[in-house]
């Protein structure tokens, strides 16, 4: 049983919390919006507790369940409070006006940007960016466990994240070093473009990317 | 019923041919290696015929079932014989020594390179690059039809390719303009890296990438 911290109080914060609680991990939700955070913690029930931005970080794994652009600020605000922690960036730096480009320069990724601004003693990992809240909360799609692609430069950090992912009923896939997040983020430009397209009836904001068999 | 041409005589040529024949399309195989081409055509049976490099191209859709690097030469060799045709590039420009980088510069893709060298009257489409030969020949994975992601700048060409893909029991997904191939090719750097990794028992050269549900 692990203690995890989730920074954020939106749909992805909820979905990750539900999966972690399903694995009997305890969950700390740290949200800037006090009312939303309280509501989320109450709806999650036993095993969840809440706090405001800047509260003591209790989890060994810290999920940044915030939109792209806020992740960098979040690691700056928490600073050395994240030293020794595993930080999980789930964001997709996709230009939502047009879904035609990424908001990070070629040859880098959102998570590498976050790693450059995080405590040098934190271990930054990319994971969950291909998961959307609804299927993630359910934990499975088409009767199969969701795939969670994990990129990172710390093997130990990836082992930790893989363990909580597997315990929560999902399939962890270690895709290699942190720079592989470039491909994970690129793919989501394409997937989110499909979801946003009025021509694509089959793809709404609830798809899952799976590697079969 | 459509006439398609497949340039190449390897595993992917066979797999595409099997699917096209399943849809009762007729298939022309054009291979540089006469013996391999003959063997493939014979094993495919009724509906398939063969020819050498440079033979008259009979299909309205032409699959370049050749490795990355040969596609450009192929469109140069065939030149104006491909005018008016839909050319389908299936290649993955992945550095097989290390699986750590693409062989095309950032901001472009293998298929865009091919389009620059093809007859200006050809319509170039990216498709099938996320499909591997074994599941493609089978047509399904885990009881589900394979996804075929299709990128291209000609709507008419994508409609044509989508039609033969759907008729052959697969699911066509139009992912937008040709430049979306950048993301499709990037994702396969990651997937092929998993397949090549000795640490990944679950991923051999027979995975399929699917967007669920």
């Amino acid at each position: 049983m692990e203690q995890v911290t989730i920074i954020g109080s939106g749909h992805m914060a909820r979905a990750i919390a539900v999966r972690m609680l399903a694995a009997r991990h305890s969950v700390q939700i740290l949200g800037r919006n006090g009312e939303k955070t309280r509501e989320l913690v109450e709806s999650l029930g036993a095993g969840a507790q809440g706090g405001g931005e800047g509260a003591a970080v209790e989890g060994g794994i810290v999920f940044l369940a915030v939109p792209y652009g806020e992740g960098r600020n979040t690691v700056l605000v928490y600073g050395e409070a994240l030293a020794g922690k595993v930080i999980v960036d789930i964001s997709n730096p996709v230009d939502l006006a047009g879904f035609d480009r990424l908001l990070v320069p070629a040859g880098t990724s959102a998570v590498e940007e976050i790693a450059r601004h995080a405590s040098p003693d934190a271990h930054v990992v990319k994971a969950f960016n291909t998961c959307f809240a609804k299927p993630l909360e359910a934990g499975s799609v088409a009767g199969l466990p969701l795939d969670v692609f994990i990129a990172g430069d710390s093997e130990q950090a990836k082992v930790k994240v893989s363990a909580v992912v597997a315990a929560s009923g999902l399939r962890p896939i270690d895709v290699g070093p942190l720079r592989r997040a470039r491909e994970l983020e690129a793919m989501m430009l394409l997937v989110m473009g499909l979801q946003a397209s009025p021509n694509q009836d089959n793809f709404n904001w609830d798809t899952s990317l799976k590697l079969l068999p």
Side-chain angles (χ1 to χ4, degrees), chain A residues 39-139:
Chain A
E39 280 174 11
L40 174 55
V41 168
E42 273 171 34
S43 74
L44 290 170
Q49 48 150 326
E53 184 174 71
V57 176
E58 292 177 3
I61 301 176
V62 180
F63 294 92
L64 303 180
V66 296
Y68 170 71
E70 288 183 31
R72 191 178 68 171
N73 293 336
T74 302
V75 297
L76 288 171
V77 166
Y78 282 86
E80 285 307 307
L82 298 179
K85 310 286 188 184
V86 175
I87 301 174
V88 182
D89 167 48
I90 70 166
S91 72
N92 283 308
V94 171
D95 182 7
L96 304 180
F99 296 91
D100 196 28
R101 65 185 189 101
L102 292 168
L103 296 171
V104 289
T108 188
S109 59
V111 71
E112 289 167 280
E113 193 180 61
I114 285 171
R116 279 192 296 274
H117 291 86
S119 163
D121 296 322
H123 305 290
V124 179
V125 161
K126 185 89 193 185
F128 287 98
N129 77 301
T130 65
C131 301
F132 288 89
K134 198 173 149 189
L136 180 56
E137 192 170 330

